[in-house]
Amino acid sequence: NAMSFRGREYSRCSLFMEIEKGELMPLPAKRYEVKRYAQATVHKNSHIYFGKDKHYYSVPYRHIGKQVKLVYTDNIVEIYHKHERFAVHTRDRKKYGYTTLADHMPSHHRFVSEWSSERFIDWAGNIGGHCKGYIIAILEKKQHPEQSYKSCLGVLHLAKKYGRERLENACKRASEYGAYNYNMVERILKKGWDQIDERMDGDMEMPEHNNIRGGKYYE
């Protein structure tokens, strides 16, 4: 590189120092990452569901109902609508977890959405006291109540299939288990555990739950 070209007084090295070196730019601060793409819909709780990781990410509430584009790498998830990026999150692979920015939530802006905690609590109160207490417990599990709306709606809709009395009893039994989610209530109703006399509890099949250790735990 330092040798002069034949019949010339300059070399590759001298050309580099004179012309090219000054045009060089610094290397990128971050390592290059491959970007991938996905589509999603903004739910009424101001979140989108990222199916690859089974995780929820918040977006500004004004975009509720819109179809959006996800651009994601190993480390971040960006959310776009019509080429405008309106949300970016650090990627989280926790299944069925929520990544939420407070500024995105309707409650933070005193926005009254179609769904609200009060509406679900009143709805549950018309079914029964145990159902009302159960819905309140679900709402209190999350940092932002809107994150629980889908679960609340699922529980309350079970009354259409099984009736109010059975749902009330199922919520009572699920509360005794300390399991506050839609899947537990649905399972109790499907198995008919809500209709079993409490005196026969010792003979019934116990549900799978992290807080129930089982007899082998004490062996």
Side-chain angles (χ1 to χ4, degrees), residues 5-194:
F5 291 106
R6 183 177 297 179
R8 300 287 189 274
E9 295 181 356
Y10 52 84
S11 64
R12 291 182 174 86
C13 184
S14 64
L15 286 175
F16 170 75
M17 298 299 292
E18 179 182 353
I19 301 173
E20 298 176 355
K21 185 177 180 180
E23 300 297 323
L24 294 177
M25 300 292 289
L27 289 173
K30 295 183 179 179
R31 188 181 185 90
Y32 176 79
E33 291 186 302
V34 176
K35 292 187 175 182
R36 297 179 174 86
Y37 305 89
Q39 301 291 325
T41 300
V42 182
H43 297 167
K44 291 182 179 180
N45 63 357
S46 294
H47 288 75
I48 59 94
Y49 177 68
F50 181 34
K52 186 172 181 63
D53 296 337
K54 298 182 179 179
H55 193 86
Y56 295 89
Y57 293 94
S58 68
V59 302
Y61 69 89
R62 64 182 181 275
H63 297 290
I64 288 173
K66 292 181 180 178
Q67 295 286 329
V68 296
K69 180 179 181 180
L70 277 59
V71 180
Y72 63 96
T73 68
D74 288 339
N75 297 301
I76 64 170
V77 175
E78 300 173 286
I79 305 170
Y80 291 81
H81 179 66
K82 294 183 178 180
H83 308 294
E84 174 194 359
R85 189 181 79 173
F86 53 77
V88 57
H89 296 280
T90 300
R91 188 171 175 183
D92 191 332
R93 291 171 172 80
K94 181 181 179 181
K95 289 185 177 180
Y96 306 110
Y98 281 80
T99 296
T100 305
L101 297 180
D103 288 346
H104 290 168
M105 304 308 294
S107 56
H108 183 79
H109 293 269
R110 299 178 183 177
F111 175 80
V112 180
S113 64
E114 182 179 344
W115 294 356
S116 68
S117 299
E118 291 76 15
R119 178 180 175 185
F120 287 124
I121 293 171
D122 289 343
W123 185 351
N126 291 328
I127 294 174
H130 293 296
C131 185
K132 180 178 180 179
Y134 194 78
I135 290 299
I136 292 173
I138 291 177
L139 291 167
E140 291 178 345
K141 281 179 60 179
K142 300 293 185 180
Q143 180 181 3
H144 301 281
E146 293 89 343
Q147 296 172 343
S148 302
Y149 287 176
K150 187 175 181 180
S151 182
C152 290
L153 193 64
V155 170
L156 294 169
H157 274 167
L158 289 171
K160 294 181 179 179
K161 183 175 181 180
Y162 296 98
R164 294 187 175 190
E165 183 178 352
R166 288 197 61 190
L167 178 57
E168 171 74 356
N169 292 335
C171 288
K172 178 178 182 294
R173 191 169 291 278
S175 297
E176 293 170 351
Y177 296 150
Y180 297 97
N181 57 73
Y182 166 79
N183 290 333
M184 177 58 73
V185 178
E186 183 189 38
R187 188 175 183 193
I188 289 171
L189 290 167
K190 282 185 175 179
K191 296 283 187 177
W193 294 336
D194 59 293

